[in-house]
Amino acid sequence: MSSLIANNQTYEIVKQVETANFETHANFSLYNSENNDASSIMDKLFGFYVKRNFIDDTFNIAWSDVDLSSPLRLLDSHDFQASSSNKVTAGNTTGVISSHDESGATREARHFALNDIKFRDATSWSKSIVDSRIKDTHAIASVFPMFSFFNKEAHLKTKQALQIDLIHEIVFSNDPITFVRADSHDYSSYMKTNVYYSHFFVVPRNVDQYKHNITITDIYKYDDLDNRKNGNIDENSYLHEYAFNQNKYSSSSQKSQLNTYIQDGFAKDETISLSDNQALKNIYKIGSINISDQTFYNYATNKVEVGLGGDAKQGDLVPYNFNGNFDQQYNLGFIDFLKDYKISISQNFEQKVLDPYAGKVQLHITSSNVDSHLNSTKSTLTGKQLQSFRDVVKEVNFVSLEGLRRFSDEQDN
Amino acid sequence: MNRIIKTALLLSPVVTVVAGIGIYFGLSTSGNVAKQPKPLKKETAPNVPDNSSKDNKPEAPPGLNIEIKDNSQTEKNPLWLHVFPSINQEFYYRYLRLVDGKPIITDDLIAHVVNDVLVKMQYTDGDVSWEYSFKDDTLKNDVTISFILKPTGRGILKDVVNKSYHIVVSKQD
């Protein structure tokens, strides 16, 4: 059982992992075996990668194209197709990114965005290439993803944190060494699949019985890919890039739901660490989910009310006379795929804060006859004034400090 | 309704005690007989009716002439215990408030204590002064409410009687 240390305490991790199976097919027709460059071209033909956009659960397709220093390898056309159960879509080029590799050669990567098919709905991705310079060359590589069921709810107890592992990037490539030796036209068995995850950590804050609790949960993240790239952090690492302001929250405190907002946080957090020995130098907090409504404790009804009352403050409050299991629930409202994710947290409070006999707050009264040396600010009542005070109390039950002082000021006649 | 019953409960011992003292004063002034006031055996909680005061009704043995001497500071049965009532935390707990997670003693709580003490005082022949002071005006978790009775000297009491109520609120994490 792995655990996590954050907020100066150890959390047991409850893990949910998204899994998928990728069936791959690679086919190369009319392969010109006399061309010595074929195998290195093949290496580029089949390799592509799929990058998921968490915010709307669409995906981008990209591949590293050709080495511009070698004109032979320029390709004429690229086509990309994705389909879901009821839709087929072709990709549109959204950008060409040029970069330089270690040898100084310029490389290009083409990006295709497929906005109308959700990542989880995709049933096939295929890429075909025609290269007229290598006569009659036509290649097609297809992938058929199968995503497993993902349970969108979690019940956390005190000191438990939720780890959600979601597929972030998938790299399909062929094994260049085995590929060279291939003499068949079906290269499926030479395609390799590498899946890179984003790991999200939903870490509930401990509920404080004495104070307004503003932050419900902190969200941390680390990417396999960041670790692979040795320290480069994904540019989309603010929580608002992933989350919607729809995290309706409710608790044992009140019947009505409270509104929440997302607060970004982006810093390598020194206080979080995982115990199962993963290389976690790039784990960081991306933000937190906070309550925006104000609440206050109504001492007359012993209930927490929402709104601007006497000493209302932002955050949720445990009723001061509450003991037992305190439950919090909210929809994570966090990335398209998880927007219905229900999280409930249960925390036990054995003792009430306010109770004359069993409360955490205790009142002690002792008395003595030690001369307290009353100073000049004292209030003094003569016998008559005391009698008039007593007469008034009979009527009104209670006289405030202010009112009490007025009895002393009354003319004693 | 509840409140009326409570008030009635609170007042019943006071009434009996006041009656007792009244009877005693009547005897001591008319009969020229003086006796040390026989204090109540124990300090009774204000909410518990205590009939023992009836048994303590002072008697005036005829012919006995004892000099009146204030014994309010005798250790065994100090008078200050009886002039000023004892109070129970249960009645004042409800006036505590939490501010920024810290319990504080409110003005309301102090006023209720002062009200109750002034109402339940069993000897009123004199000037009564009161004041309160917090140990720390910011924390407001420790207050001393002091009372002092300066008798007119016409009654049984000759010397000043002090009583202080020390009220502390504490918190567990």
Side-chain angles (χ1 to χ4, degrees):
Chain A
M1 187 67 70
S2 56
S3 61
L4 173 151
I5 298 168
N7 303 326
N8 295 319
Q9 71 171 45
T10 305
Y11 291 85
E12 179 196 321
I13 289 180
V14 176
K15 206 184 266 193
Q16 291 204 351
V17 184
E18 179 183 43
T19 56
N21 178 49
F22 300 99
E23 195 187 321
T24 57
H25 291 282
N27 196 282
F28 196 38
S29 65
L30 301 172
Y31 171 52
N32 183 351
S33 61
E34 287 159 22
N35 190 319
N36 291 330
D37 288 326
S39 64
S40 59
I41 293 169
M42 289 296 289
D43 188 21
K44 299 186 188 311
L45 290 183
F46 293 146
F48 66 96
Y49 87 103
V50 178
K51 185 178 182 183
R52 182 185 202 170
N53 308 312
F54 284 120
I55 184 73
D56 53 7
D57 211 37
T58 58
F59 55 92
N60 282 46
I61 303 289
W63 62 85
S64 176
D65 202 343
V66 290
D67 185 343
L68 295 181
S69 62
S70 172
L72 239 187
R73 297 175 193 173
L74 270 175
L75 303 175
D76 283 348
S77 68
H78 330 259
D79 189 21
F80 197 91
Q81 248 184 18
S83 59
S84 64
S85 56
N86 56 2
K87 216 177 265 177
V88 177
T89 186
N92 301 309
T93 305
T94 55
V96 178
I97 295 171
S98 296
S99 61
H100 298 275
D101 65 13
E102 308 85 50
S103 63
T106 305
R107 303 186 77 87
E108 284 189 348
R110 287 176 199 276
H111 289 248
F112 285 72
L114 295 136
N115 295 323
D116 46 356
I117 291 181
K118 301 274 188 196
F119 180 79
R120 285 277 302 196
D121 295 338
T123 50
S124 78
W125 297 312
S126 58
K127 173 194 175 191
S128 59
I129 290 176
V130 177
D131 187 350
S132 59
R133 291 168 196 243
I134 304 168
K135 211 181 173 192
D136 297 327
T137 300
H138 178 256
I140 182 162
S142 302
V143 176
F144 302 95
M146 286 272 290
F147 296 98
S148 60
F149 171 76
F150 195 83
N151 187 19
K152 292 183 191 175
E153 61 178 24
H155 304 282
L156 302 177
K157 292 184 215 125
T158 310
K159 294 187 178 176
Q160 283 188 329
L162 175 65
Q163 176 177 347
I164 303 174
D165 291 348
L166 296 177
I167 295 168
H168 185 212
E169 300 192 32
I170 313 157
V171 177
F172 301 101
S173 59
N174 36 280
D175 183 338
I177 298 162
T178 52
F179 197 87
V180 172
R181 298 196 214 105
D183 51 8
S184 158
H185 287 183
D186 183 358
Y187 298 93
S188 304
S189 57
Y190 302 112
M191 280 188 80
K192 286 199 307 184
T193 304
N194 290 313
V195 179
Y196 299 95
Y197 281 90
S198 284
H199 308 267
F200 294 93
F201 297 85
V202 178
V203 183
R205 288 274 181 98
N206 281 353
V207 173
D208 190 322
Q209 253 181 309
Y210 283 102
K211 289 182 176 172
H212 286 81
N213 297 278
I214 298 174
T215 300
I216 314 164
T217 199
D218 294 306
I219 296 181
Y220 297 81
K221 173 178 174 262
Y222 88 86
D223 286 334
D224 288 341
L225 203 65
D226 285 348
N227 288 317
R228 189 189 64 177
K229 288 193 289 193
N230 199 24
N232 293 326
I233 288 171
D234 183 12
E235 67 275 14
N236 292 332
S237 289
Y238 295 99
L239 185 54
H240 80 259
E241 307 270 1
Y242 301 98
F244 312 95
N245 276 322
Q246 290 170 349
N247 310 277
K248 282 288 185 185
Y249 165 93
S250 61
S251 76
S252 307
S253 291
Q254 63 275 309
K255 283 174 191 161
S256 51
Q257 285 189 321
L258 298 183
N259 292 303
T260 61
Y261 66 97
I262 283 155
Q263 186 174 344
D264 285 328
F266 181 73
K268 285 190 182 179
D269 193 310
E270 305 296 335
T271 63
I272 184 168
S273 59
L274 280 178
S275 72
D276 60 2
N277 210 21
Q278 299 178 53
L280 281 180
K281 57 193 172 195
N282 291 319
I283 191 165
Y284 45 83
K285 184 165 152 180
I286 57 173
S288 50
I289 298 176
N290 293 356
I291 291 169
S292 55
D293 283 320
Q294 299 211 0
T295 63
F296 64 96
Y297 184 66
N298 184 330
Y299 286 88
T301 61
N302 295 326
K303 293 212 158 58
V304 170
E305 295 179 19
V306 184
L308 301 170
D311 52 357
K313 280 188 180 163
Q314 182 189 341
D316 191 19
L317 200 57
V318 180
Y320 296 141
N321 68 334
F322 181 91
N323 66 338
N325 280 325
F326 186 79
D327 297 319
Q328 299 171 290
Q329 290 112 19
Y330 59 96
N331 280 3
L332 198 54
F334 162 67
I335 82 174
D336 186 80
F337 171 56
L338 296 182
K339 68 184 169 207
D340 301 320
Y341 202 105
K342 285 183 179 55
I343 292 185
S344 64
I345 306 158
S346 188
Q347 199 170 326
N348 187 268
F349 295 113
E350 283 182 14
Q351 209 176 346
K352 296 174 181 181
V353 166
L354 290 185
D355 184 281
Y357 305 108
K360 287 183 171 180
V361 167
Q362 280 299 308
L363 187 66
H364 306 276
I365 301 180
T366 52
S367 57
S368 71
N369 65 331
V370 174
D371 184 359
S372 55
H373 303 290
L374 296 183
N375 62 33
S376 58
T377 62
K378 72 190 176 215
S379 300
T380 302
L381 296 163
T382 61
K384 275 191 177 176
Q385 285 169 333
L386 181 60
Q387 194 49 54
S388 100
F389 162 76
R390 286 181 169 192
D391 291 343
V392 168
V393 169
K394 267 181 206 157
E395 301 295 325
V396 301
N397 279 325
F398 170 71
V399 176
S400 68
L401 285 179
E402 190 98 327
L404 273 161
R405 290 197 185 95
R406 245 178 265 139
F407 279 95
S408 300
D409 298 339
E410 259 175 31
Q411 207 64 29
D412 186 20
N413 41 32
Chain B
M1 191 62 186
N2 234 348
R3 194 179 187 117
I4 293 167
I5 292 167
K6 253 183 207 165
T7 316
L9 274 173
L10 282 171
L11 289 176
S12 60
V14 176
V15 170
T16 53
V17 169
V18 168
I21 288 176
I23 290 161
Y24 174 74
F25 288 158
L27 288 168
S28 62
T29 46
S30 63
N32 245 347
V33 174
K35 187 183 180 259
Q36 288 186 353
K38 201 174 177 186
L40 304 183
K41 288 226 168 76
K42 57 174 178 150
E43 190 178 15
T44 55
N47 59 327
V48 182
D50 187 347
N51 296 323
S52 65
S53 57
K54 281 175 191 162
D55 306 331
N56 290 341
K57 202 194 296 178
E59 285 169 30
L64 196 64
N65 200 345
I66 298 169
E67 200 186 340
I68 296 173
K69 198 176 181 184
D70 181 19
N71 72 334
S72 62
Q73 307 305 324
T74 25
E75 271 180 36
K76 205 174 175 186
N77 288 301
L79 208 55
W80 61 269
L81 272 177
H82 310 297
V83 169
F84 295 107
S86 67
I87 58 173
N88 189 333
Q89 64 97 13
E90 186 197 354
F91 294 111
Y92 305 102
Y93 191 90
R94 74 193 71 164
Y95 304 113
L96 288 174
R97 290 294 177 266
L98 285 165
V99 175
D100 293 332
K102 295 186 189 95
I104 62 152
I105 295 165
T106 57
D107 284 358
D108 216 22
L109 191 155
I110 295 165
H112 274 92
V113 170
V114 176
N115 271 248
D116 291 349
V117 171
L118 293 179
V119 167
K120 294 175 194 166
M121 272 179 70
Q122 294 171 15
Y123 189 98
T124 58
D125 190 12
D127 290 349
V128 60
S129 303
W130 59 273
E131 73 162 9
Y132 67 91
S133 75
F134 282 106
K135 193 174 176 186
D136 182 323
D137 285 329
T138 318
L139 292 176
K140 292 195 169 189
N141 60 355
D142 184 325
V143 74
T144 302
I145 309 174
S146 306
F147 292 85
I148 185 166
L149 176 73
K150 286 178 183 153
T152 57
R154 293 189 296 268
I156 177 76
L157 282 182
K158 301 297 177 199
D159 288 350
V160 161
V161 179
N162 287 298
K163 183 155 178 174
S164 293
Y165 300 89
H166 186 206
I167 305 177
V168 180
V169 63
S170 62
K171 167 195 156 178
Q172 265 175 265
D173 282 325

